[in-house]
Amino acid sequence: MGINSIPTEVLDLIFDCLEKEKPDNMNRYGHLGAAVRPESLRNARLVCRQWNALATKHLFRTIALMHNGNDKAFDTWKQIVNSPAVQQAAREAEVYSVRPPPRGYYRQLERDYDTWCSWDLGDWPEFVTAIQGLGNLPNLRAVNIRFTEGCEGVEKSDYREEIVETFSTRMHTIENVFKAIQRRKSRANQVITPITSLTIENLQNMPFTEFLETGLFRSVIEDITELRLSVAQEDHDDGPDYDLYYDERFTFEPWLQEEFLPCFASRLTSLNITFGECWGVAPGYFDGKGLHFPNLKTLILGEYVIGHHDQFDWVLTQTTLETLCLNRCMIVSYLEYTSDDIEKWDDLTTHDWKFVAGQGGGWTLHKFDGVWEVVFDAIRTRLPNLVQFRMDHAKLNDVADRGLPSVDDMDCCLSAKRYVHFSSGTIPPWLESNSDGHMDIELGGEDEAECSGVNRAMETQEGDMRAFKELVQAVEERARRRL
């Protein structure tokens, strides 16, 4: 059989594999994922007209708006969104607020300082016009807004070595992307596919309640069924972790729970949330109470920490869940803080924590006795529709070079690092255990074992492993019955 005899449907499947190809020499912006065009697809377009048409559909399924801080950089994007072939092919668009730096060098932003300040005031007509090009893509289903990791909070540092992306520039980008989506929806005499998937990468941990109350926000989110969020926060690695006491650190998570997520709750079928640092316990608190997602099928949590016996109940009440993924989610076993911390964090939630020892200078050590065995048993018995479960401990940058892992990116294993230690006096404050589960904690006892630290993973190994295996087995059996 000659190559021209291969059915179009088969060729389409082959090109789909080429689209997912990840060459070794992808380039220094490898974390752009699908926005990086695999070389094989480019070459396939040169074979014949049929291959060109098929490869183009895959090559431009995901397109990206990136720039170097000068207006000429938007010309390529304008050509792309005005191409009839791309207009038919594009299903996903990525909008980068700034050209991504080489991996590992997020602080060296490739952006002219004057242009940065201009956008800080919302004045960048060429960028706004480029964003409006989203309206030329009738088959678009997903929009991804990608910011940088470098943040600057309300309480600015006197000296910052790095250039950071301010909160105002982030909001200008979000607002203009939302305006483009709204205009796209209102186009007359044109069949438009609704945008149902929204990703915001490195959303800064600062509430923006006023925007939630606008007609623009409500108009866009009424179609969103898939929401993916990664949250970034201001941090200083080169000095005391004073940013731990900044207002946004203890106000954002309650706002996320009480104001932001409820806006999407009735429509979501898929929710993926991760933070750049452990979240849920301290200083911000998130127990999900009051959240109900009646149509939720998939939930992916990253860096979420359990520090109270009822803190995971909000997940267990989502009985429609079919897929649950926990990436680097942990139980905090020991917590060190001072009385001043409680005052600074405005009523730190401390129920279920038991006093262990005073450590001098106002420091106290507390213990939370929660175990994964209880959580696994609850997942197995209270989520009857669950047919897929993942639990992994990969760092964000280790998961397919993306900050927001998908289900396929994750393994299912019981890590010895599943318990964590919190100390408000260290940098960073969340201290992972060693690869064998050992925590370097002074309990203050006379016994040598107490003075050499603890290993919560080893202490709970038998029960955790039993419950983990039974959960995995139950989920697999349900999945087989559905086949």
Side-chain angles (χ1 to χ4, degrees), residues 143-403:
V143 170
N144 307 333
I145 305 172
R146 304 193 185 278
F147 300 112
T148 59
E149 297 177 37
C151 296
E152 184 174 74
V154 176
E155 303 173 61
K156 299 179 181 180
S157 172
D158 293 335
Y159 173 75
R160 296 298 296 269
E161 179 179 340
E162 72 274 20
I163 299 175
V164 296
E165 186 172 10
T166 63
F167 181 71
S168 60
T169 67
R170 296 168 195 261
M171 288 308 302
H172 290 319
T173 301
I174 290 176
E175 290 176 11
N176 279 283
V177 170
F178 273 50
K179 286 177 181 178
I181 296 174
Q182 186 184 57
R183 291 194 188 99
R184 180 180 178 274
K185 289 178 61 177
S186 63
R187 286 202 168 190
N189 304 320
Q190 187 175 4
V191 178
I192 298 291
T193 300
I195 293 174
T196 58
S197 177
L198 175 65
T199 298
I200 306 180
E201 184 172 314
N202 289 320
L203 175 70
Q204 188 169 350
N205 64 335
M206 293 180 65
F208 44 94
T209 298
E210 290 185 6
F211 184 59
L212 303 188
E213 297 172 348
T214 63
L216 171 62
F217 178 80
R218 293 192 295 269
S219 172
V220 171
I221 70 165
E222 65 182 9
D223 295 322
I224 301 300
T225 60
E226 178 182 357
L227 179 64
R228 304 169 72 240
L229 298 175
S230 73
V231 180
Q233 65 282 319
E234 181 178 12
D235 86 87
H236 306 281
D237 293 334
D238 55 349
D241 201 26
Y242 296 128
D243 49 307
L244 192 64
Y245 303 107
Y246 290 169
D247 287 347
E248 56 266 30
R249 283 296 182 99
F250 52 84
T251 60
F252 181 79
E253 287 158 55
W255 175 84
L256 185 71
Q257 173 178 327
E258 297 165 9
E259 298 187 45
F260 186 77
L261 289 178
C263 296
F264 298 84
S266 63
R267 294 169 294 273
L268 286 186
T269 60
S270 178
L271 176 61
N272 186 338
I273 303 180
T274 191
F275 278 54
E277 186 175 280
C278 294
W279 63 289
V281 173
Y285 185 60
F286 186 104
D287 64 5
K289 287 181 179 176
L291 286 176
H292 178 55
F293 303 94
N295 301 302
L296 195 65
K297 303 294 184 184
T298 299
L299 176 62
I300 303 176
L301 295 175
E303 303 284 340
Y304 186 63
V305 177
I306 301 171
H308 300 88
H309 290 301
D310 60 352
Q311 196 178 339
F312 201 72
D313 287 355
W314 73 277
V315 176
L316 303 175
T317 61
Q318 317 305 328
T319 54
T320 57
L321 277 181
E322 297 178 357
T323 297
L324 175 63
C325 299
L326 306 177
N327 184 49
R328 291 177 54 81
C329 293
M330 294 167 281
I331 290 177
V332 58
S333 295
Y334 291 92
L335 306 101
E336 294 176 279
Y337 57 90
T338 70
S339 57
D340 290 342
D341 292 333
I342 297 180
E343 295 179 4
K344 292 176 181 177
W345 291 332
D346 190 21
D347 297 327
L348 179 68
T349 305
T350 62
H351 69 274
D352 297 330
W353 299 354
K354 299 177 182 179
F355 175 82
V356 175
Q359 298 177 312
W363 287 90
T364 55
L365 177 67
H366 299 258
K367 180 179 180 180
F368 171 56
D369 60 4
V371 293
W372 278 107
E373 177 182 10
V374 173
V375 177
F376 292 147
D377 283 340
I379 294 173
R380 175 173 53 83
T381 58
R382 295 176 60 180
L383 295 178
N385 295 303
L386 202 66
V387 293
Q388 190 165 214
F389 175 73
R390 297 283 188 274
M391 186 170 182
D392 205 350
H393 205 82
K395 290 185 178 180
L396 296 181
N397 292 334
D398 293 340
V399 184
D401 297 320
R402 292 181 295 176

